[in-house]
Amino acid sequence: MKNLFRSVALVAVIFLGTQYVSAQQKIGHINADEIFQMTAEFKTANEQLRTLNDAKTKELQGMYEVFQQKQTEANEKLRNRSEANKSTVDAELQTAGQELQTMEQRIQEVQRVAQEDLQKKQQELLTPIQTKVMNAINAVAKDKGFAYVLDTSNGNVIYFQGGEDISADVKTKLGIAANATPATPAVAPATR
């Protein structure tokens, strides 16, 4: 009986101790995307991505303009077709149609490759920055004794009140000015 009482008392002490420790856990929050976009590295990478995106867009626009010009020429030939030149114009239109189809396929291929290149470059440039930001968040959370840090940027936190916003500490750790504003991404972010 005495052992049973000791066991119950021990379980109660453990339970209450666990509840006390749980109640003491600190919870913080941060907008990680905003911090990410404030880093100098992101702004540099963003400019590189914008330049690459602009170059790919310009290349595709040039190809599309040539395609439209050839299409206009083919339409003009079709309008000027008569019985006298029908067989010659029909042969030219058939050749032009094949050429236009080949050009369209080439444009689609260049567009696909451009998209892949942009995604690959985005991954190459942004992954190290993401790692750096996450390391800074983890270091600040550890230094300040947080058990949990919630990321308010991904929309999963519906409501938070209280807790401690560790954004300023992470900005300081990353060397970001307190009044810095996030850069607007040059291209849609890849999955992070």
Side-chain angles (χ1 to χ4, degrees):
M1 185 70 150
K2 200 174 191 182
N3 287 337
L4 180 62
F5 179 71
R6 282 186 189 163
S7 297
V8 169
L10 182 60
V11 168
V13 167
I14 291 173
F15 178 74
L16 291 174
T18 304
Q19 293 299 319
Y20 177 75
V21 169
S22 294
Q24 298 301 314
Q25 291 181 337
K26 289 174 64 175
I27 298 174
H29 59 87
I30 189 167
N31 184 328
D33 283 348
E34 186 176 88
I35 299 288
F36 177 76
Q37 292 171 4
M38 286 181 184
T39 62
E41 294 92 339
F42 175 79
K43 292 175 182 177
T44 301
N46 198 40
E47 271 310 306
Q48 290 178 19
L49 290 170
R50 189 179 318 274
T51 300
L52 180 61
N53 187 44
D54 291 348
K56 299 289 184 181
T57 300
K58 189 173 183 177
E59 177 185 3
L60 283 165
Q61 285 174 340
M63 292 176 75
Y64 189 68
E65 286 171 7
V66 171
F67 176 83
Q68 286 180 318
Q69 181 183 1
K70 295 232 182 238
Q71 195 173 37
T72 301
E73 290 171 5
N75 287 337
E76 189 63 32
K77 282 183 184 183
L78 183 61
R79 266 192 299 253
N80 293 330
R81 188 176 84 173
S82 65
E83 280 302 317
N85 66 4
K86 182 179 180 189
S87 61
T88 305
V89 171
D90 284 350
E92 289 174 357
L93 286 174
Q94 185 175 3
T95 302
Q98 291 170 345
E99 188 178 338
L100 285 169
Q101 187 175 13
T102 301
M103 287 178 75
E104 185 175 31
Q105 290 170 347
R106 178 71 182 131
I107 290 170
Q108 289 173 353
E109 178 64 16
V110 169
Q111 192 171 22
R112 184 189 63 76
V113 169
Q115 179 111 20
E116 287 175 2
D117 289 350
L118 276 169
Q119 288 175 345
K120 190 184 302 180
K121 189 68 170 177
Q122 186 177 25
Q123 189 75 19
E124 173 190 317
L125 293 172
L126 300 183
T127 299
I129 302 167
Q130 291 168 340
T131 301
K132 181 179 178 179
V133 170
M134 287 309 300
N135 288 342
I137 291 170
N138 290 338
V140 168
K142 186 176 180 182
D143 290 347
K144 293 198 159 251
F146 287 102
Y148 301 96
V149 175
L150 306 174
D151 185 358
T152 60
S153 64
N154 61 16
N156 289 336
V157 179
I158 306 301
Y159 174 81
F160 70 92
Q161 183 174 2
E164 187 174 335
D165 186 354
I166 64 170
S167 298
D169 296 316
V170 173
K171 287 179 191 177
T172 300
K173 187 136 192 109
L174 291 169
I176 298 171
N179 61 349
T181 57
T184 303
V187 291
T191 54
R192 284 195 334 128

